[in-house]
Amino acid sequence: MSGREEGALHAPAHASHGVRGHGHDQPYTPVFAGERRRQLDELLTRYPTKMAALLPALWMVQETHGWVSEPAMAEVAELLELTPAYVKGVVTFYTMYHQHPVGRHFIQVCTTSPCGACGAEDVARAFLKHTGCGELGVTSADGKFTVIEVECLGACGFATPVMINDEFLESVAPESVPQILASLK
Amino acid sequence: MGYPHKSHPRETTVLSKHFGDPEARSLAGWRQRGGYRALEQALGMGPADIVNVVKESGLRGRGGAGFPTGMKWSFMKPGDGKPHYLCCNADESEPGTFKDREIMRWTPHALIEGCAIGAHAIGAETAYIYIRGEFTEPIKVMEQAVQEAYRDGILGKNAMGTGKRVDVHVHRGAGAYICGEETALMNSLEGRRGNPRIKPPFPAVAGLFGQPTTINNVETLAAVPHILTNGAEWYTGMSLSSPKSTGTKLFSVCGNIRKPGNYEIVMGFPFKDFLYDLCGGPLPGRRFKAIIPGGSSVPIQTLEEAEATMMDYEGFVAQGTMLGSGGVIVFDDSQCMVKQIARLSRFYAHESCAQCTQCREGTAWTTRILERIEVGEGTMEDLDTLLDIAENMTGKTICVLSDSCATPVVSGIQKWRHEFEAHITQKRCPMRTAVAA
C-alpha cells in the first residue's frame, strides 16, 4: 500500500458525491473548444514539449467541469499526444485534481502540526458539524459541501488556514465557521 | 488578510521592506521603489560578471540546503549550444514555512526581476516559476505581474530593449509536497508524476527537458537584484556570527507563540532575542518546550539548545539542527510531543511519492507505531523499532523525504523519551484531560 493511502484524506468507499459539472453518468462535453482551445494553444508555445502542458490542461478541465473524469483524461490525452492511461497516472499522483464530483464548496482545512498545535482539529470538526457532512471526504446530502483535511497549506503563521474552492482564508477559528458558511451561496 | 505585524526595530528589512504595501505590487509602484534598475544593469553585464558578484556576496540557497548560489550558477556553461533553463522553486510546502508566499503576494516584480537576472547569468532564455497549486492568491498576483512585465517590454524577445530574450512563465502545481524537491519539480513541470530523479546527472548537466538547468528558491532569486544594486560587499557586511552566512534571511514563525509571522533578520542574529523580543515570547502562562527552527524536516531543538543558537547556517548546525527553510515551529508546554511527532510523521506518509521502499513503507510504519503509542497502546519495544526504522530510512533513498520523516522521530525520542515512556506505562496520553479521555 502506498503511503498516500495513510491518513484521513481519502473519501471512504461509501462516500456520496455531489454533482458539480457532469456526474459519472452524465454525457461528456469536451472542454477544449473555442476560447479554451485557444488558451491551450497559447500555453503550448511556452514549452518545448506538448506533455508539459498536461498539468495546466488538467486545471482547465477542472475549472470547467469541477472534476477530472475519464472522458476528460481521454480528451486531454489525445490533444497532447499521450495515452489516457498515462494521463490517469499523472492525475492520480496529485491531490488537487478531483477524480469524483465534489460539493459545490470544497473545503480544505489544514491540520498539519503547526496548525494542529493551534487548534486546527477543532476547526475541521466545526466545519464537519455545521456543513452537515459529518465525515471527512463525504459530500453533504444537498451537494453543497465537501470537507477534507489537507496537509500544510503554507500559511502556518495564520493558523488555521482554510481553502474553499480557490478562496484562501486565514486565521479561521471554530467560532467563525457558521458565519463563513452563511456567506457561501 | 495581510502582513500581520509592522517590522520590528531589530529587523533588517530588505526583501520584506514592502510587505503589506499594495502599491509595491504594480509595475509602476515597483519602479518607484527602485525596481528593474538591477535588471537593466545586469543585461548590460556579461553572465560571468554577474555570477562573480553573486559568488562574492556569499549568497546561499534559501530553500533548505544552503548551497552557494554563485557556485551553482557557475556550473552552467553559456554558449554550449543547448537551451538552458532556470526554474524558480515556489512550491513552498515545508510545514512551518510561509515566506515565499509573502514575497510573491507583496513583491511579485522582485521575483520576476531576480528570475530575469538569473536566467541571463546562466545563459537561459526561459525561466519557469513553479508555484504550488494551493497558492491561488500568489499565483494570481504573479501572473498579473508577468503580464505587466511583458506589456512593458521588460520580458520577451527584446528584454528592456537589449535584444536579449527573457521569458518568464508561471506554472501551477497540483498538490504534492514532493514537488518542492528539485528533480521532482522538473518532472512535474514536464507533465509527469512528481517522482524525484536519481542524481547524477545533476540538473546543471541534464535537468528540465533533459537540458542544463538551474533551480533556485524564491527568496534566493529575490535577493539577487539587491546584491547587484548594492554590491557584494554590502551583502557580506550583513553577518553577525559566521562569515560563511551573509545577508538577510526571512524566518517564518508559527505555532504556540505570541506574534507569529515573517521576520527578516541579518544572518547570525541571536535566536533567544528573536523568540522573546521580536516574536513576543510564549503565550500568557505558557513556557516554550520544543522548537523546530528550519521547517519540519530538521531536528527538533530543546529550549536550551534554541536559546544558545545564533541564527545562521553554521549556528543552527552547532546546536544540533539546521537552518533549513527558516520555518520556525514552536511548541509550548501544553503540547504532547508524541502527538506532534506522530502528526508530522503522518504528513510525510501522506506525501511520500512511494517510489522507494524505505520511504513508502517506513513513513507508513512509523506513523502507525507513533499513533499507537499516542493512544496508549504502545510498548517499550516500539521505541527501539522506531529508531531501527529511522536508521533504515536515512541516507538510503533517491531523495531526502524519507530522512525528513526520520529526523523528528529520532530527535524526539532522544530529547523527550520520558513523554514516550509515560504514554506506554500509563497506557494513555498523560497530557489529555480526563474529559477528553
Side-chain angles (χ1 to χ4, degrees):
Chain A
M1 292 291 273
S2 120
R4 301 200 141 256
E5 256 94 46
E6 290 297 311
L9 266 170
H10 291 270
H14 62 271
S16 64
H17 299 292
V19 279
R20 180 159 160 237
H22 72 112
H24 278 284
D25 308 326
Q26 284 153 307
Y28 180 71
T29 320
V31 173
F32 295 97
E35 178 60 16
R36 288 280 186 204
R37 181 61 198 256
R38 197 200 56 74
Q39 283 172 2
L40 182 66
D41 288 342
E42 193 280 320
L43 265 176
L44 287 168
T45 65
R46 300 182 184 183
Y47 310 99
T49 66
K50 284 193 172 181
M51 196 205 274
L54 180 51
L55 265 61
L58 292 170
W59 275 121
M60 289 161 78
V61 167
Q62 186 151 304
E63 278 157 22
T64 311
H65 287 317
W67 66 294
V68 184
S69 64
E70 293 206 359
M73 294 179 210
E75 187 193 1
V76 170
E78 192 175 335
L79 283 166
L80 301 182
E81 295 169 16
L82 304 164
T83 65
Y86 177 85
V87 173
K88 188 166 188 177
V90 171
V91 169
T92 53
F93 186 87
Y94 298 95
T95 55
M96 291 185 81
Y97 296 128
H98 304 311
Q99 295 165 59
H100 302 280
V102 295
R104 227 166 43 248
H105 303 288
F106 186 71
I107 301 169
Q108 307 187 66
V109 184
C110 175
T111 60
T112 310
S113 311
C115 292
C118 297
E121 287 175 5
D122 295 333
V123 177
R125 272 192 283 271
F127 273 107
L128 286 176
K129 181 181 161 201
H130 294 290
T131 54
C133 290
E135 221 176 316
L136 291 167
V138 177
T139 298
S140 59
D142 56 5
K144 207 169 162 187
F145 301 109
T146 309
V147 183
I148 66 157
E149 272 187 319
V150 67
E151 295 295 348
C152 192
L153 280 176
C156 324
F158 310 86
T160 297
V162 174
M163 271 188 92
I164 303 182
N165 296 342
D166 276 351
E167 187 82 14
F168 202 106
L169 307 178
E170 294 172 348
S171 310
V172 176
E175 311 83 77
S176 49
V177 168
Q179 202 190 336
I180 292 168
L181 292 175
S183 71
L184 302 172
K185 284 177 189 147
Chain B
M1 287 213 260
Y3 195 56
H5 65 89
K6 286 203 173 101
S7 78
H8 189 278
R10 295 183 73 186
E11 280 187 77
T12 304
T13 52
V14 175
L15 304 170
S16 61
K17 193 174 171 190
H18 304 294
F19 283 6
D21 169 9
E23 285 174 24
R25 278 181 180 169
S26 71
L27 177 56
W30 190 243
R31 279 222 155 102
Q32 276 166 14
R33 287 158 184 77
Y36 288 112
R37 282 184 212 152
L39 176 59
E40 203 172 353
Q41 182 191 341
L43 290 170
M45 293 166 73
D49 295 332
I50 302 172
V51 172
N52 278 336
V53 175
V54 174
K55 264 188 187 168
E56 284 164 16
S57 75
L59 175 65
R60 292 166 68 179
R62 302 297 197 229
F67 193 83
T69 307
M71 193 190 290
K72 195 185 243 187
W73 288 6
S74 72
F75 297 152
M76 302 288 283
K77 301 294 171 211
D80 59 5
K82 295 176 184 170
H84 290 185
Y85 294 104
L86 177 72
C87 290
C88 171
N89 188 342
D91 192 61
E92 183 168 60
S93 311
E94 176 80 5
T97 317
F98 48 98
K99 62 189 177 63
D100 299 341
R101 173 175 183 258
E102 301 303 321
I103 292 175
M104 292 189 284
R105 284 169 87 197
W106 297 112
T107 59
H109 286 285
L111 181 57
I112 295 171
E113 189 170 3
C115 286
I117 296 170
H120 176 51
I122 60 162
E125 292 187 336
T126 311
Y128 296 103
I129 304 175
Y130 183 103
I131 308 180
R132 65 175 296 182
E134 293 88 347
F135 276 180
T136 45
E137 191 197 352
I139 289 169
K140 213 163 116 191
V141 174
M142 285 306 308
E143 277 177 343
Q144 278 171 0
V146 166
Q147 279 174 15
E148 268 188 309
Y150 269 104
R151 271 202 302 272
D152 200 71
I154 291 166
L155 299 175
K157 60 185 173 198
N158 183 18
M160 297 191 103
T162 57
K164 296 189 170 97
R165 183 174 197 112
V166 182
D167 283 316
V168 174
H169 302 298
V170 172
H171 192 96
R172 184 182 183 187
Y177 166 74
I178 192 59
C179 291
E181 197 280 338
E182 58 183 19
T183 57
L185 185 148
M186 290 171 198
N187 271 343
S188 179
L189 223 160
E190 289 180 14
R192 302 173 196 274
R193 292 166 70 91
N195 292 332
R197 301 173 181 170
I198 292 171
K199 291 185 276 192
F202 290 95
V205 176
L208 187 64
F209 304 115
Q211 303 296 341
T213 303
T214 294
I215 179 161
N216 292 124
N217 172 257
V218 169
E219 189 185 353
T220 315
L221 288 167
V224 168
H226 297 285
I227 292 171
L228 281 196
T229 306
N230 299 305
E233 265 182 45
W234 163 78
Y235 207 70
T236 54
M238 291 191 287
S239 176
L240 296 173
S241 181
S242 163
K244 288 183 190 163
S245 296
T246 60
T248 61
K249 171 84 188 86
L250 280 167
F251 284 87
S252 311
V253 183
C254 64
N256 309 127
I257 194 158
R258 265 190 215 230
K259 291 197 284 179
N262 280 293
Y263 295 84
E264 186 173 8
I265 44 112
V266 167
M267 285 283 192
F269 194 89
F271 202 14
K272 188 175 180 180
D273 292 6
F274 182 84
L275 291 168
Y276 291 95
D277 190 6
L278 275 64
C279 306
L283 296 168
R286 289 290 167 197
R287 266 176 59 80
F288 291 145
K289 175 155 73 175
I291 315 239
I292 311 183
S296 61
S297 303
V298 308
I300 310 174
Q301 287 186 305
T302 62
L303 182 58
E304 293 68 33
E305 288 167 329
E307 288 183 351
T309 303
M310 296 299 162
M311 301 172 79
D312 58 23
Y313 294 104
E314 291 70 30
F316 280 111
V317 170
Q319 290 300 327
T321 183
M322 286 183 288
L323 183 147
S325 59
V328 180
I329 307 171
V330 182
F331 297 123
D332 70 17
D333 56 359
S334 70
Q335 301 298 327
C336 165
M337 290 308 289
V338 178
K339 181 177 180 181
Q340 290 307 332
I341 294 165
R343 185 64 187 83
L344 277 180
S345 178
R346 179 144 74 92
F347 168 81
Y348 289 106
H350 181 264
E351 299 300 337
S352 172
C353 87
Q355 70 175 334
C356 304
T357 309
Q358 295 90 333
C359 180
R360 182 185 63 240
E361 305 299 326
T363 55
W365 292 352
T366 301
T367 305
R368 283 199 290 268
I369 296 173
L370 284 167
E371 289 181 346
R372 181 164 83 205
I373 296 173
E374 203 234 323
V375 297
E377 291 167 9
T379 64
M380 288 297 177
E381 278 175 342
D382 282 342
L383 300 182
D384 296 330
T385 309
L386 282 172
L387 292 173
D388 184 48
I389 296 171
E391 197 184 326
N392 283 294
M393 288 170 70
T394 304
K396 296 191 168 59
T397 45
I398 292 173
C399 82
V400 295
L401 189 144
S402 179
D403 308 56
S404 299
C405 178
T407 300
V409 176
V410 173
S411 54
I413 295 177
Q414 276 167 355
K415 294 170 190 176
W416 288 276
R417 194 178 179 99
H418 57 281
E419 287 197 25
F420 287 81
E421 290 179 349
H423 281 75
I424 294 165
T425 52
Q426 297 176 30
K427 298 194 185 301
R428 68 182 184 97
C429 174
M431 302 198 65
R432 209 162 274 186
T433 60
V435 180

